[in-house]
C-alpha cells in the first residue's frame, strides 16, 4: 500500500512491468471503449470476445455513459463535491474529475488503483481546475481502511463523499467478500455520502459465454453476477430512483431518451447513506 503520487515512469521501467503476452483487464476494457492504451494480445482477445458476444461493446460504452450521468447528478443535484473512484482503470475521455469539475469546479477527486500500468498513466488523471484537486493512490481494494486513511489527506471524510466502484467488484470472486469490502468502505464515510456501483451481469447466455472465454485467457478473472447480488451491495443505503437497473436506464439523458436504449448486461445504481 502506497500513497505516492505517480512519478514519470521510464520506458525501461514500464517494459519491465508490462506483460504483453497476456491479456490485461484495464487494457482490454480500454480497447472496448475506444482507447489506444492496449496491445495486440488485448485486441485479439477483444475481437474474439466480440465474435462470441457483440453486446459487450455496448456494455463498455454504456457503462462509461453511466459514470458520466451519475457523477453529474451527484455534483449538480446532490451537492457532492468529493469523489473516491476505486478501480480507476486507464484514463479515457470524461474521467470522473472532468465530469465533476465541469459541473462543480471545486470538486476534489481521489483515484485508486493498484495496477502498475494505470499508475504509469495516472498523471493524465491529475489535471484539475484551480479550485479543485485530484490525487491518485496506488492501493488495493482489499485494504479499505488504508484507502480511506490515505484518501483523507485530500478529502474531508467528515463531509459527504461519493464512492464510485465501476466494473471492479466482479474481480472479487466471493460475493460475500465483495459486500464486506463495500460495507467497510462506506462505514468510513459520513451520512449523506453516496455509493455508485455498476458491473456486468449474468443476464444472458452471451454475456456468460463471454465471461467464461475471458477468464480462460489468463487475464485476472472477472465474475458476472446476478442482478440481486449487485443490488445487495446497496444494503443499508437509500437507493435513488430508479434503483438498480440496466445502466442505460438509469436516468437517461433527455436528448437520448426518445430513442430506444439498448438492452445491456450491465446493471448499476446509486445509494445514499442515511
Amino acid at each position: 500500500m502506497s500513497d505516492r503520487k505517480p512519478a514519470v515512469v521510464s520506458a525501461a521501467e514500464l517494459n519491465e512491468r508490462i506483460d504483453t503476452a497476456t491479456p490485461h483487464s484495464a487494457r482490454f476494457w480500454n480497447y472496448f471503449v475506444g482507447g489506444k492504451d492496449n496491445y495486440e494480445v488485448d485486441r485479439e482477445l477483444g475481437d474474439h470476445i466480440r465474435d462470441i458476444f457483440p453486446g459487450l461493446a455496448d456494455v463498455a460504452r454504456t457503462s462509461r455513459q453511466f459514470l458520466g450521468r451519475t457523477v453529474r447528478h451527484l455534483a449538480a443535484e446532490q451537492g457532492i463535491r468529493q469523489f473516491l473512484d476505486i478501480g480507476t482503470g486507464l484514463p479515457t475521455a470524461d474521467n470522473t474529475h472532468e465530469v465533476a469539475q465541469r459541473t462543480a469546479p471545486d470538486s476534489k477527486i481521489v483515484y485508486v488503483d493498484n495496477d502498475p500500468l494505470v499508475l504509469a498513466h495516472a498523471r493524465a488523471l491529475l489535471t484539475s481546475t484551480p479550485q479543485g484537486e485530484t490525487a491518485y493512490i496506488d492501493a488495493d481494494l482489499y485494504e479499505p481502511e488504508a484507502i480511506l486513511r490515505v484518501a483523507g489527506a485530500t478529502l474531508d471524510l467528515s463531509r459527504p463523499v461519493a464512492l464510485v466502484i465501476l466494473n471492479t467488484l466482479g474481480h472479487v470472486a466471493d460475493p460475500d467478500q465483495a459486500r464486506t469490502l463495500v460495507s467497510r468502505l462506506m462505514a468510513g464515510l459520513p451520512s449523506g455520502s453516496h455509493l455508485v456501483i455498476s458491473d456486468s451481469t449474468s443476464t444472458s447466455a452471451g454475456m456468460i459465454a463471454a465471461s467464461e472465454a475471458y477468464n480462460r485467457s489468463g487475464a485476472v478473472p472477472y465474475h458476472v453476477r446476478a442482478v440481486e447480488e449487485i443490488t445487495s451491495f446497496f444494503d443499508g443505503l437509500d437507493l435513488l430512483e430508479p434503483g438498480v437497473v440496466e445502466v442505460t436506464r438509469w436516468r437517461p439523458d433527455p436528448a437520448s431518451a426518445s430513442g430506444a436504449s439498448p438492452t445491456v448486461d450491465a446493471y448499476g445504481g446509486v445509494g445514499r447513506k442515511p
Side-chain angles (χ1 to χ4, degrees):
M1 169 77 191
S2 168
D3 61 344
R4 65 183 182 274
K5 297 222 175 160
V8 175
V9 179
S10 71
E13 290 173 313
L14 195 54
N15 285 337
E16 288 180 4
R17 294 182 179 189
I18 296 175
D19 176 7
T20 60
T22 304
H24 179 281
S25 60
R27 297 189 320 237
F28 171 84
W29 203 246
N30 176 266
Y31 175 56
F32 264 98
V33 298
K36 298 179 179 179
D37 295 309
N38 47 73
Y39 290 84
E40 185 63 27
V41 66
D42 310 301
R43 295 188 288 272
E44 288 177 355
L45 177 61
D47 292 340
H48 175 58
I49 297 295
R50 202 192 308 267
D51 288 341
I52 295 172
F53 181 54
L56 191 61
D58 287 333
V59 169
R61 176 178 54 82
T62 59
S63 294
R64 194 72 186 177
Q65 294 167 350
F66 172 79
L67 169 67
R69 295 197 307 278
T70 55
V71 170
R72 280 197 303 273
H73 173 79
L74 291 173
E77 305 297 331
Q78 303 294 330
I80 298 295
R81 297 294 180 266
Q82 304 188 108
F83 295 82
L84 179 58
D85 185 335
I86 298 179
T88 303
L90 290 165
T92 56
D94 285 339
N95 300 294
T96 299
H97 75 283
E98 294 169 321
V99 176
Q101 292 180 346
R102 202 175 295 145
T103 299
D106 58 334
S107 296
K108 295 183 178 182
I109 294 85
V110 172
Y111 292 104
V112 181
D113 212 304
N114 70 336
D115 190 311
L117 185 63
V118 177
L119 173 63
H121 288 79
R123 57 187 174 272
L125 296 172
L126 295 179
T127 58
S128 176
T129 58
Q131 307 96 312
E133 187 174 357
T134 63
Y136 179 93
I137 301 174
D138 178 16
D140 196 310
L141 172 65
Y142 293 92
E143 297 180 305
E145 291 76 21
I147 288 174
L148 293 169
R149 184 178 66 251
V150 180
T154 300
L155 307 178
D156 179 356
L157 299 186
S158 69
R159 300 177 63 82
V161 174
L163 172 62
V164 180
I165 315 177
L166 301 191
N167 306 303
T168 297
L169 290 169
H171 290 300
V172 182
D174 182 353
D176 290 334
Q177 183 179 25
R179 277 191 293 274
T180 297
L181 292 170
V182 171
S183 295
R184 287 164 63 187
L185 286 161
M186 289 303 296
L189 302 178
S191 174
S193 293
H194 288 69
L195 172 66
V196 183
I197 286 176
S198 74
D199 265 304
S200 299
T201 51
S202 56
T203 41
S204 77
M207 176 56 90
I208 293 170
S211 175
E212 291 172 347
Y214 175 84
N215 290 345
R216 288 193 298 268
S217 73
V220 176
Y222 185 95
H223 307 275
V224 293
R225 295 202 159 100
V227 176
E228 293 77 15
E229 289 179 309
I230 292 177
T231 302
S232 72
F233 294 141
F234 295 93
D235 287 352
L237 305 180
D238 298 327
L239 272 171
L240 274 59
E241 292 293 337
V244 176
V245 295
E246 291 175 46
V247 293
T248 52
R249 304 185 191 284
W250 198 93
R251 304 191 182 208
D253 292 326
S256 61
S258 57
S261 298
T263 297
V264 294
D265 295 294
Y267 277 65
V270 180
R272 182 183 185 277
K273 184 174 180 177

Short mmCIF file of all heavy atoms in Angstrom, two decimals, residues 83-109:
data_model
loop_
_atom_site.label_atom_id
_atom_site.label_comp_id
_atom_site.label_asym_id
_atom_site.label_seq_id
_atom_site.Cartn_x
_atom_site.Cartn_y
_atom_site.Cartn_z
N PHE A 83 -15.19 12.92 -4.46
CA PHE A 83 -15.39 11.65 -5.13
C PHE A 83 -14.18 10.75 -4.87
O PHE A 83 -13.03 11.19 -5.02
CB PHE A 83 -15.57 11.86 -6.63
CG PHE A 83 -16.80 12.62 -7.00
CD1 PHE A 83 -16.81 14.01 -6.94
CD2 PHE A 83 -17.96 11.97 -7.38
CE1 PHE A 83 -17.95 14.74 -7.27
CE2 PHE A 83 -19.11 12.68 -7.71
CZ PHE A 83 -19.10 14.07 -7.65
N LEU A 84 -14.46 9.50 -4.51
CA LEU A 84 -13.43 8.48 -4.30
C LEU A 84 -13.70 7.38 -5.32
O LEU A 84 -14.65 6.62 -5.20
CB LEU A 84 -13.50 7.94 -2.88
CG LEU A 84 -12.50 6.84 -2.49
CD1 LEU A 84 -11.06 7.29 -2.68
CD2 LEU A 84 -12.74 6.40 -1.04
N ASP A 85 -12.88 7.32 -6.36
CA ASP A 85 -13.08 6.44 -7.50
C ASP A 85 -12.11 5.27 -7.39
O ASP A 85 -10.91 5.43 -7.62
CB ASP A 85 -12.85 7.23 -8.79
CG ASP A 85 -13.16 6.43 -10.05
OD1 ASP A 85 -13.08 5.19 -10.02
OD2 ASP A 85 -13.46 7.05 -11.09
N ILE A 86 -12.63 4.08 -7.06
CA ILE A 86 -11.79 2.89 -6.84
C ILE A 86 -11.91 1.95 -8.03
O ILE A 86 -13.00 1.60 -8.46
CB ILE A 86 -12.19 2.17 -5.54
CG1 ILE A 86 -11.97 3.10 -4.34
CG2 ILE A 86 -11.40 0.88 -5.37
CD1 ILE A 86 -12.36 2.49 -3.01
N GLY A 87 -10.75 1.52 -8.54
CA GLY A 87 -10.73 0.72 -9.75
C GLY A 87 -10.76 1.62 -10.96
O GLY A 87 -11.50 1.42 -11.91
N THR A 88 -9.90 2.63 -10.91
CA THR A 88 -9.91 3.71 -11.88
C THR A 88 -9.80 3.23 -13.32
O THR A 88 -10.52 3.69 -14.21
CB THR A 88 -8.73 4.66 -11.58
OG1 THR A 88 -8.86 5.12 -10.24
CG2 THR A 88 -8.69 5.81 -12.54
N GLY A 89 -8.89 2.32 -13.58
CA GLY A 89 -8.64 1.89 -14.95
C GLY A 89 -7.84 2.94 -15.70
O GLY A 89 -7.41 3.95 -15.15
N LEU A 90 -7.63 2.67 -16.97
CA LEU A 90 -6.83 3.58 -17.79
C LEU A 90 -7.64 4.81 -18.17
O LEU A 90 -8.83 4.71 -18.49
CB LEU A 90 -6.35 2.86 -19.05
CG LEU A 90 -5.28 1.79 -18.80
CD1 LEU A 90 -5.12 0.88 -20.01
CD2 LEU A 90 -3.96 2.44 -18.43
N PRO A 91 -7.02 5.97 -18.16
CA PRO A 91 -7.74 7.20 -18.49
C PRO A 91 -8.26 7.19 -19.93
O PRO A 91 -7.57 6.75 -20.84
CB PRO A 91 -6.68 8.30 -18.32
CG PRO A 91 -5.53 7.68 -17.62
CD PRO A 91 -5.62 6.21 -17.83
N THR A 92 -9.49 7.66 -20.09
CA THR A 92 -10.05 7.87 -21.42
C THR A 92 -10.71 9.24 -21.40
O THR A 92 -10.25 10.14 -20.70
CB THR A 92 -11.06 6.76 -21.78
OG1 THR A 92 -12.09 6.71 -20.78
CG2 THR A 92 -10.40 5.40 -21.87
N ALA A 93 -11.75 9.45 -22.17
CA ALA A 93 -12.47 10.72 -22.16
C ALA A 93 -13.47 10.72 -21.01
O ALA A 93 -13.97 9.69 -20.59
CB ALA A 93 -13.18 10.92 -23.49
N ASP A 94 -13.76 11.91 -20.52
CA ASP A 94 -14.77 12.10 -19.47
C ASP A 94 -14.49 11.25 -18.26
O ASP A 94 -15.33 10.47 -17.79
CB ASP A 94 -16.18 11.84 -20.01
CG ASP A 94 -16.68 12.97 -20.88
OD1 ASP A 94 -16.14 14.09 -20.76
OD2 ASP A 94 -17.61 12.76 -21.68
N ASN A 95 -13.28 11.38 -17.70
CA ASN A 95 -12.96 10.76 -16.43
C ASN A 95 -13.74 11.46 -15.32
O ASN A 95 -14.31 12.54 -15.51
CB ASN A 95 -11.45 10.86 -16.19
CG ASN A 95 -10.65 10.16 -17.27
OD1 ASN A 95 -10.71 8.95 -17.40
ND2 ASN A 95 -9.93 10.94 -18.07
N THR A 96 -13.77 10.84 -14.14
CA THR A 96 -14.60 11.33 -13.05
C THR A 96 -14.32 12.80 -12.73
O THR A 96 -15.25 13.60 -12.56
CB THR A 96 -14.40 10.46 -11.80
OG1 THR A 96 -14.79 9.12 -12.10
CG2 THR A 96 -15.23 10.97 -10.63
N HIS A 97 -13.06 13.18 -12.65
CA HIS A 97 -12.76 14.56 -12.28
C HIS A 97 -13.20 15.54 -13.37
O HIS A 97 -13.63 16.66 -13.05
CB HIS A 97 -11.27 14.74 -11.97
CG HIS A 97 -10.37 14.76 -13.15
ND1 HIS A 97 -9.99 13.63 -13.82
CD2 HIS A 97 -9.75 15.80 -13.79
CE1 HIS A 97 -9.18 13.94 -14.82
NE2 HIS A 97 -9.02 15.25 -14.82
N GLU A 98 -13.12 15.12 -14.62
CA GLU A 98 -13.53 16.02 -15.70
C GLU A 98 -15.03 16.27 -15.66
O GLU A 98 -15.49 17.41 -15.81
CB GLU A 98 -13.12 15.42 -17.05
CG GLU A 98 -11.62 15.34 -17.23
CD GLU A 98 -11.21 14.52 -18.43
OE1 GLU A 98 -11.84 13.47 -18.70
OE2 GLU A 98 -10.25 14.92 -19.10
N VAL A 99 -15.79 15.21 -15.43
CA VAL A 99 -17.25 15.35 -15.36
C VAL A 99 -17.65 16.17 -14.13
O VAL A 99 -18.45 17.11 -14.22
CB VAL A 99 -17.93 13.97 -15.33
CG1 VAL A 99 -19.44 14.12 -15.17
CG2 VAL A 99 -17.61 13.18 -16.58
N ALA A 100 -17.08 15.84 -12.97
CA ALA A 100 -17.45 16.52 -11.74
C ALA A 100 -17.07 18.00 -11.78
O ALA A 100 -17.87 18.88 -11.43
CB ALA A 100 -16.78 15.85 -10.55
N GLN A 101 -15.85 18.28 -12.22
CA GLN A 101 -15.39 19.67 -12.20
C GLN A 101 -16.01 20.52 -13.30
O GLN A 101 -16.01 21.74 -13.20
CB GLN A 101 -13.86 19.70 -12.27
CG GLN A 101 -13.22 19.13 -11.00
CD GLN A 101 -11.71 19.15 -11.02
OE1 GLN A 101 -11.09 19.34 -12.07
NE2 GLN A 101 -11.10 18.95 -9.86
N ARG A 102 -16.55 19.88 -14.32
CA ARG A 102 -17.30 20.62 -15.33
C ARG A 102 -18.56 21.21 -14.71
O ARG A 102 -19.01 22.31 -15.07
CB ARG A 102 -17.65 19.68 -16.47
CG ARG A 102 -17.96 20.35 -17.80
CD ARG A 102 -18.17 19.29 -18.88
NE ARG A 102 -16.93 18.55 -19.12
CZ ARG A 102 -16.88 17.26 -19.43
NH1 ARG A 102 -17.99 16.54 -19.51
NH2 ARG A 102 -15.73 16.68 -19.65
N THR A 103 -19.14 20.47 -13.76
CA THR A 103 -20.35 20.93 -13.07
C THR A 103 -20.00 21.77 -11.85
O THR A 103 -20.61 22.81 -11.61
CB THR A 103 -21.20 19.72 -12.63
OG1 THR A 103 -21.59 18.99 -13.80
CG2 THR A 103 -22.43 20.15 -11.86
N ALA A 104 -19.03 21.30 -11.07
CA ALA A 104 -18.64 21.96 -9.83
C ALA A 104 -17.11 22.06 -9.82
O ALA A 104 -16.43 21.10 -9.44
CB ALA A 104 -19.14 21.18 -8.63
N PRO A 105 -16.55 23.18 -10.25
CA PRO A 105 -15.10 23.29 -10.38
C PRO A 105 -14.31 23.06 -9.10
O PRO A 105 -13.12 22.76 -9.15
CB PRO A 105 -14.90 24.73 -10.89
CG PRO A 105 -16.20 25.07 -11.57
CD PRO A 105 -17.25 24.38 -10.76
N ASP A 106 -14.97 23.18 -7.94
CA ASP A 106 -14.27 23.00 -6.67
C ASP A 106 -14.25 21.54 -6.21
O ASP A 106 -13.83 21.24 -5.09
CB ASP A 106 -14.88 23.88 -5.58
CG ASP A 106 -16.36 23.61 -5.35
OD1 ASP A 106 -17.05 23.14 -6.29
OD2 ASP A 106 -16.85 23.89 -4.24
N SER A 107 -14.69 20.62 -7.05
CA SER A 107 -14.73 19.21 -6.67
C SER A 107 -13.33 18.65 -6.46
O SER A 107 -12.38 18.99 -7.17
CB SER A 107 -15.45 18.38 -7.74
OG SER A 107 -16.80 18.77 -7.87
N LYS A 108 -13.24 17.72 -5.49
CA LYS A 108 -11.99 17.01 -5.22
C LYS A 108 -12.20 15.53 -5.54
O LYS A 108 -13.21 14.96 -5.14
CB LYS A 108 -11.59 17.16 -3.75
CG LYS A 108 -11.24 18.60 -3.37
CD LYS A 108 -10.79 18.67 -1.91
CE LYS A 108 -10.40 20.09 -1.54
NZ LYS A 108 -9.90 20.15 -0.14
N ILE A 109 -11.23 14.95 -6.22
CA ILE A 109 -11.35 13.56 -6.66
C ILE A 109 -10.09 12.81 -6.29
O ILE A 109 -8.98 13.29 -6.53
CB ILE A 109 -11.57 13.46 -8.19
CG1 ILE A 109 -12.92 14.07 -8.60
CG2 ILE A 109 -11.52 12.01 -8.65
CD1 ILE A 109 -12.92 15.56 -8.82
#
